[in-house]
């Protein structure tokens, strides 16, 4: 009792208006406080981030330490082994990259395994939904497709793509997609990835005590392991998921907590791999389970996604999405969630406690992820429905036994999602001449100033959704076309910017293009692994011509303004290594002014890559990105075109006003 009272005192310390701009989440945080339930928002307020760790100034790579250096005076001390601040920070950075790369590549490998099972005819539960994509991808990496059976091509594709993970020598297959000039830079610094397993292994090895103690040397392996994710693991995950579950095309769908239905059995799938979600779609459409729900007094089964799992199915099938990372605990506070099934990545342990408070059944399904206090129903690739049917059955039981008041925020936002790079191609070019030429032309003539990728997590250390939304608004207002993935896409969807109607918020040039094509100024591409779609789009822009020879020449920039995950660091590093200026918010785990900081924030650019940037305020981030885009426009000699367009635009407005 005493302990509970103490908790309540702590709960008072958050000011809900300061921690989120998501109205549904705010409503649920108020309810949580009334109910005496805590969330990551409350814990963040009560857990001050360690200032030494935040700057990456500590090392625990051996037990002569752990050693802590002084972030305020980083060169005043070294570790017991003599490691300098640059060594310590770069090794920590490398370990983050290794972890993030491992996450995406493990996910990609699972997709490839399923694909193999399907191709060998050993899986009846999945099938090839996009044979055209299968052929296209095969052709692109040099597999003969002419006159061959799909199965033969598919077998070759499996074998070839497996090299992405396992090969010990030579370049990964998707290196073939990289523009030659970008590849040259990678080759110069020995950064073209071999198999991801090889690269991650080497990176973990090199970041151990007594290993690579030169941050300039180590950054090459950081880049190589990161590229093994972006152009490897993540790209395979995306391409194989498209082949198995369908390539996204624009689909209207609803997001936010109002997607829950009080009179139905609500089931949430949260995590990352599309196979679990795909199987549960089958379960909720099973007539016998629908009948069971009706027998329990429900008006049906309501399946809703969250985080990246949710994005996989929002973009492919228009399945409603209830919210991003910082809303996963909050949604349980509705009391309306009968079951939540999770697989891998970004699953807060705190969910178990909140679920317990509201009688929601929390199920882990993946052998890699068990949570104390959650029930585990293992998802087996050979019998996926056993797991997902069981989740549905359990949800029905919970629905029948609901015994507490339910409060569902009455907020839903509609938008259009599912812009694969193939669709962007088609959308802009039309059926007969599908290509990136119109995009490049519009960039060259200045209607579109450049392209920005705004991606990544939400983080309780900054106001949820606020930074994403403000940043994107400012970018489109300045004629920058925005592409999105991950939790950021949901932030913007909730803010109503993923609709063609949002074009009125865009600058005159971008607005004109959006209206002509009927597209939103903010294009949602999918989950975090689908950042690979952005890489492919960048490569296509280079190949189409007129915007330079390498990705580093393009007037593009990226941002993860509310990041929290190691995976985001890896994504940032593969974008930077690919040639993109990438700005992070919240905090950056490297001390400003150190040699390693200078390397990341400038040196890499001098070597022909992109570079990192950091700012907390969304308007600062936007200005940095726009300045970079303008710098690239100038280098390409297309800055004048834009000035002309702007004159044209204001002239036109003057004319209209007259
Ligand atoms: Ni990306 Fe997806 Fe969200 Fe961040 Fe987590 S769900 S892989 S890591 S929090 S965007
Ligand atoms: Fe300290 Fe060096 Fe050991 Fe790190 S590796 S804990 S800096 S002695």
């Amino acid at each position: 009792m005493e302990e509970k009272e103490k908790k309540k005192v702590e709960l008072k310390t958050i000011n809900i208006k300061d921690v989120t701009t998501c109205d549904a989440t705010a409503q649920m945080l108020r309810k949580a406080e009334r109910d005496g339930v805590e969330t990551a928002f409350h814990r963040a307020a009560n857990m001050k981030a360690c200032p030494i760790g935040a700057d990456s100034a500590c090392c625990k790579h051996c037990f002569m330490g752990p050693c802590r250096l002084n972030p305020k005076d980083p060169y005043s001390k070294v570790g017991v082994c003599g490691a300098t601040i640059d060594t310590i920070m770069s090794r920590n950075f490398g370990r983050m990259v290794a972890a993030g790369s491992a996450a995406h590549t493990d996910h990609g490998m699972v997709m490839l395994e399923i694909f193999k099972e399907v191709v060998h005819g050993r899986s009846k539960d999945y099938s090839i939904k996009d044979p055209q994509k299968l052929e296209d991808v095969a052709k692109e990496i040099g597999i003969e497709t002419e006159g061959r059976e799909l199965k033969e091509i598919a077998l070759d594709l499996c074998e070839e793509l497996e090299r992405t993970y396992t090969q010990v020598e030579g370049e990964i297959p998707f290196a073939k997609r990289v523009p030659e000039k970008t590849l040259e830079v990678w080759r110069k610094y020995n950064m073209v990835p071999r198999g991801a397993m090889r690269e991650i292994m080497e990176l973990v090895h090199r970041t151990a005590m007594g290993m690579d103690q030169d941050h300039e040397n180590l950054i090459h392996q950081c880049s190589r392991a990161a590229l093994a994710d972006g152009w490897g693991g993540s790209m395979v995950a995306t391409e194989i998921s498209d082949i198995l579950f369908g390539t996204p095309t624009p689909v209207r769908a609803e997001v936010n907590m109002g997607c829950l239905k009080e009179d139905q059995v609500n089931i949430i799938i949260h995590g990352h791999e599309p196979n679990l979600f795909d199987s549960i779609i089958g379960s909720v459409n099973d007539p016998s389970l629908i009948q069971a729900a009706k027998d329990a007094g429900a008006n049906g089964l309501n399946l809703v996604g969250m985080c990246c799992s949710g994005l996989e199915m929002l973009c492919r099938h228009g399945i409603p999405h209830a919210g991003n990372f910082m809303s996963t605990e909050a949604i349980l506070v509705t009391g309306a969630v009968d079951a939540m099934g999770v697989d891998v990545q970004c699953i807060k342990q705190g969910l178990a406690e909140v679920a317990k408070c509201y009688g929601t059944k929390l199920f882990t399904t993946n052998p890699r992820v068990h949570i104390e206090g959650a029930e585990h129903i293992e998802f087996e690739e050979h019998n996926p429905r056993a797991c997902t049917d069981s989740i549905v059955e359990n949800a029905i039981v919970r629905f029948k036994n609901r015994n507490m008041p339910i409060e569902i925020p009455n907020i839903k936002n509609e938008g259009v999602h599912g812009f694969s790079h193939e669709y962007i191609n088609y959308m802009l070019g039309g059926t007969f001449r599908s290509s990136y030429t119109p995009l490049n032309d519009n960039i060259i003539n200045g209607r579109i100033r450049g392209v920005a990728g705004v991606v990544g997590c939400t983080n309780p250390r900054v106001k949820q959704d606020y930074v994403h939304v403000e940043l994107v608004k400012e970018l489109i207002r300045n004629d920058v076309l925005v592409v999105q993935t991950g939790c950021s896409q949901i932030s913007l969807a909730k803010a109503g910017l993923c609709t063609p109607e949002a074009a009125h918020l865009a600058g005159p040039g971008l607005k004109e293009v959006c209206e002509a094509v009927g597209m939103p100024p903010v294009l949602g591409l999918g989950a975090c692994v689908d950042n690979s779609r952005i890489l492919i789009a960048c490569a296509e822009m280079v190949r189409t011509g007129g915007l330079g020879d390498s990705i580093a020449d393009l007037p593009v920039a990226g941002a993860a303004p509310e990041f929290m995950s190691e995976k985001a660091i890896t994504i940032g590093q593969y974008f930077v290594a690919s040639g993109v200026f990438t700005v992070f918010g919240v905090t950056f785990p490297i001390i400003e002014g150190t040699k390693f900081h200078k390397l990341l924030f400038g040196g890499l650019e001098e070597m022909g890559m992109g570079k990192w940037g950091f700012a907390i305020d969304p308007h600062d981030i936007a200005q940095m990105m726009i300045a970079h885009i303008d710098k690239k426009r100038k280098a390409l000699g297309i800055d004048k075109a834009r000035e002309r367009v702007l004159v044209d635009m204001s002239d036109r407005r003057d004319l209209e006003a007259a």
Side-chain angles (χ1 to χ4, degrees):
M1 187 62 207
E2 231 180 70
E3 214 189 66
K4 199 153 187 215
E5 266 171 18
K6 203 169 128 225
K7 255 188 194 166
K8 272 195 177 161
V9 173
E10 285 178 359
L11 292 183
K12 278 188 194 149
T13 60
I14 78 163
N15 186 346
I16 291 171
K17 275 209 252 0
D18 293 341
V19 301
T20 181
T21 53
C22 171
D23 291 333
T25 303
Q27 186 181 335
M28 286 306 102
L29 290 181
R30 284 193 291 275
K31 180 169 186 290
E33 294 194 343
R34 288 199 303 275
D35 297 346
V37 171
E38 69 167 34
T39 66
F41 287 104
H42 303 96
R43 291 188 293 272
N46 289 291
M47 168 92 66
K48 200 169 167 283
C50 164
I52 297 174
D55 278 332
S56 218
C58 53
C59 176
K60 54 182 175 71
H61 291 193
C62 89
F63 289 89
M64 297 191 283
C67 301
R68 287 179 301 167
L69 271 49
N70 180 2
K72 298 246 156 33
D73 191 3
Y75 290 103
S76 62
K77 264 214 271 186
V78 293
V80 174
C81 67
T84 62
I85 189 69
D86 295 300
T87 295
I88 289 174
M89 291 187 305
S90 59
R91 283 196 304 215
N92 289 341
F93 187 82
R95 286 280 165 104
M96 287 185 254
V97 169
S101 184
H104 290 142
T105 53
D106 197 19
H107 168 169
M109 197 144 185
V110 170
M111 293 306 115
L112 193 59
E113 275 159 20
I114 299 173
F115 183 53
K116 262 200 268 178
E117 294 298 293
V118 171
V119 174
H120 287 282
R122 292 191 292 258
S123 168
K124 303 272 165 293
D125 294 280
Y126 302 102
S127 60
I128 291 169
K129 298 241 169 67
D130 192 342
Q132 184 61 48
K133 175 130 189 182
L134 191 161
E135 269 190 48
D136 292 346
V137 175
K139 215 182 287 171
E140 244 185 291
I141 56 172
I143 295 170
E144 185 57 56
T145 56
E146 232 28 71
R148 296 180 75 199
E149 295 275 327
L150 194 68
K151 182 166 176 182
E152 283 175 65
I153 301 171
L155 285 170
D156 283 358
L157 186 62
C158 288
E159 204 177 307
E160 189 64 12
L161 288 185
E162 196 160 39
R163 299 205 291 113
T164 305
Y165 304 98
T166 55
Q167 77 175 3
V168 287
E169 269 177 65
E171 300 177 349
I172 51 171
F174 285 136
K176 294 201 177 71
R177 284 179 162 172
V178 182
E180 198 48 42
K181 201 61 191 306
T182 303
L183 209 49
E184 258 173 42
V185 175
W186 296 2
R187 290 201 178 115
K188 181 166 167 203
Y189 297 107
N190 199 22
M191 276 164 39
V192 191
R194 299 160 293 177
M197 290 175 174
R198 190 73 198 80
E199 300 309 352
I200 294 165
M201 183 199 293
E202 183 172 324
L203 183 54
V204 174
H205 180 198
R206 279 170 66 171
T207 49
M209 190 272 148
M211 281 296 296
D212 202 346
Q213 286 151 114
D214 178 346
H215 61 280
E216 286 184 11
N217 195 44
L218 188 56
I219 196 67
H220 301 321
Q221 187 57 24
C222 292
S223 300
R224 209 178 186 192
L227 292 169
D229 171 358
W231 297 86
S234 279
M235 202 172 274
V236 171
T238 295
E239 302 297 53
I240 296 295
S241 299
D242 283 356
I243 291 169
L244 289 176
F245 307 114
T247 306
T249 55
V251 55
R252 258 189 192 273
E254 290 175 336
V255 301
N256 220 327
M257 292 194 197
C259 293
L260 296 178
K261 294 180 178 146
E262 184 158 1
D263 62 344
Q264 297 200 13
V265 179
N266 291 304
I267 300 157
I268 290 181
I269 295 295
H270 155 38
H272 283 80
E273 292 175 356
N275 42 341
L276 173 71
F277 213 136
D278 187 78
S279 172
I280 204 163
I281 292 175
S283 300
V284 299
N285 285 303
D286 186 309
S288 68
L289 288 170
I290 295 173
Q291 190 53 49
K294 291 204 170 128
D295 294 344
N299 262 335
L301 295 166
N302 185 35
L303 178 63
V304 178
M306 288 191 96
C307 286
C308 282
S309 275
L311 279 154
E312 295 268 356
M313 293 302 158
L314 172 79
C315 288
R316 291 201 169 87
H317 306 303
I319 304 243
H321 194 293
N324 54 26
F325 177 68
M326 278 315 292
S327 301
T328 54
E329 289 171 317
I331 199 164
L332 301 181
V333 178
T334 58
V337 182
D338 297 299
M340 177 182 266
V342 299
D343 55 10
V344 294
Q345 302 176 15
C346 300
I347 297 147
K348 297 187 197 82
Q349 187 163 2
L351 288 171
E353 190 56 33
V354 187
K356 199 169 100 197
C357 293
Y358 294 96
T360 294
K361 303 206 175 186
L362 177 66
F363 295 105
T364 52
T365 60
N366 192 289
R368 294 165 181 78
V369 181
H370 287 226
I371 298 175
E372 209 183 320
E375 200 178 313
H376 188 79
I377 309 179
E378 188 126 330
F379 181 83
E380 315 227 1
E381 300 307 346
H382 290 282
N383 189 10
R385 284 289 299 276
C387 168
T388 53
D389 284 1
S390 170
I391 293 176
V392 175
E393 286 157 9
N394 275 285
I396 294 171
V397 172
R398 193 281 185 173
F399 176 90
K400 209 155 61 182
N401 300 328
R402 280 187 191 176
N403 59 2
M404 57 182 75
I406 282 175
E407 179 182 333
I408 300 174
N410 187 19
I411 306 171
K412 262 197 289 195
N413 317 90
E414 219 185 77
V416 184
H417 300 267
F419 293 87
S420 52
H421 56 88
E422 287 90 346
Y423 192 83
I424 296 176
N425 207 356
Y426 163 78
M427 167 174 77
L428 293 164
T431 335
F432 299 109
R433 48 177 195 108
S434 85
S435 84
Y436 275 73
T437 307
L439 176 63
N440 283 24
D441 284 350
N442 277 311
I443 292 173
I444 293 165
N445 69 30
R447 276 190 198 92
I448 296 177
R449 190 176 198 149
V451 182
V454 179
V455 307
C457 328
T458 52
N459 181 327
R461 302 266 172 223
V462 296
K463 206 190 280 184
Q464 183 193 11
D465 297 336
Y466 168 79
V467 197
H468 288 297
V469 173
E470 288 303 305
L471 166 60
V472 170
K473 278 189 182 163
E474 180 145 349
L475 289 170
I476 62 171
R477 202 182 304 133
N478 284 283
D479 290 321
V480 176
L481 174 66
V482 174
V483 294
Q484 289 214 281
T485 63
C487 289
S488 182
Q489 182 175 333
I490 299 305
S491 301
L492 271 295
K494 288 188 291 181
L497 265 79
C498 297
T499 59
E501 297 75 37
H504 76 272
L505 295 170
L510 177 60
K511 182 172 169 225
E512 194 182 324
V513 176
C514 289
E515 284 173 351
V517 180
M519 71 180 194
V522 177
L523 303 178
L525 269 52
C528 275
V529 289
D530 298 324
N531 281 318
S532 58
R533 299 191 201 276
I534 303 179
L535 293 176
I536 299 169
C538 286
E540 280 303 313
M541 284 163 72
V542 174
R543 203 158 292 126
T544 300
L547 293 174
D549 304 323
S550 81
I551 295 176
D553 293 335
L554 294 172
V556 301
E562 301 184 23
F563 95 101
M564 64 87 200
S565 168
E566 288 168 319
K567 290 178 284 173
I569 295 280
T570 313
I571 293 168
Q573 185 58 29
Y574 74 60
F575 270 106
V576 168
S578 298
V580 180
F581 175 50
T582 305
V583 189
F584 270 39
V586 189
T587 182
F588 201 85
I590 307 295
I591 302 165
E592 225 179 307
T594 55
K595 287 187 271 179
F596 187 54
H597 191 276
K598 286 182 189 143
L599 178 64
L600 295 182
F601 285 69
L604 295 178
E605 190 178 45
E606 283 157 29
M607 291 155 70
M609 293 171 239
K611 64 174 176 184
W612 286 86
F614 170 71
I616 295 172
D617 181 83
H619 306 286
D620 294 345
I621 300 175
Q623 287 316 316
M624 288 163 76
M625 294 168 82
I626 293 166
H628 178 82
I629 285 171
D630 285 351
K631 180 177 95 177
K632 293 295 171 185
R633 292 188 66 86
K634 191 155 184 215
L636 290 164
I638 56 172
D639 48 330
K640 298 286 177 300
R642 199 177 142 73
E643 281 162 23
R644 268 202 308 279
V645 167
L646 284 184
V647 170
D648 285 347
M649 289 297 164
S650 59
D651 282 349
R652 195 176 307 167
R653 263 197 306 271
D654 290 347
L655 281 176
E656 272 163 12

